[in-house]
Amino acid sequence: MNARADKLVYDLAQRSLVLTGNARVTHQGNTFEGAKVEYNLDSRRVDASSEGDKRVRLVIPAKNAGQASEDAEPEEQDNGEPAQDAPAAQPENAETP
């Protein structure tokens, strides 16, 4: 976790961080920004709130290309063959030895 703000208060009894003034928390690749961001160390819950006309901003990065959906075509291995065993295609007019 990485956090920054104009003011940061660590509440030992509540096990929480309260960030105020240009608050920004980056946790597990996600970024939370707002006038006030609260982070609970036990539940790992982040709550962000706005002030005036400023908005809360949440950035969640896209999944890596390696985490393709189940509907995707099988990836090719380094040897150029499909990852799944598939029968070799034969042209209709091909003679077999």
Side-chain angles (χ1 to χ4, degrees), residues 3-4 7 9 12-13 28 30 33-35 37 47 53 58 63 66 71 75 79 84 90-91 93 95 97:
R4 71 173 192 208
K7 182 179 178 182
V9 176
L12 185 59
Q28 296 179 344
N30 302 322
E33 294 178 348
V37 176
D47 291 312
D53 62 345
L58 169 61
K63 289 184 179 180
D71 298 323
E75 294 181 21
N79 62 7
Q84 296 178 344
Q90 294 283 333
N93 296 334
E95 294 180 22

Side-chain angles (χ1 to χ4, degrees), residues 43-56:
S43 66
R44 296 183 179 162
R45 179 183 168 134
V46 178
D47 291 312
S49 58
S50 64
E51 182 177 273
D53 62 345
K54 294 183 180 181
R55 294 183 179 197
V56 171

Side-chain angles (χ1 to χ4, degrees), residues 10-24:
Y10 174 55
D11 187 335
L12 185 59
Q14 296 292 319
R15 293 193 36 82
S16 67
L17 295 171
V18 179
L19 299 92
T20 54
N22 300 312
R24 178 183 175 129

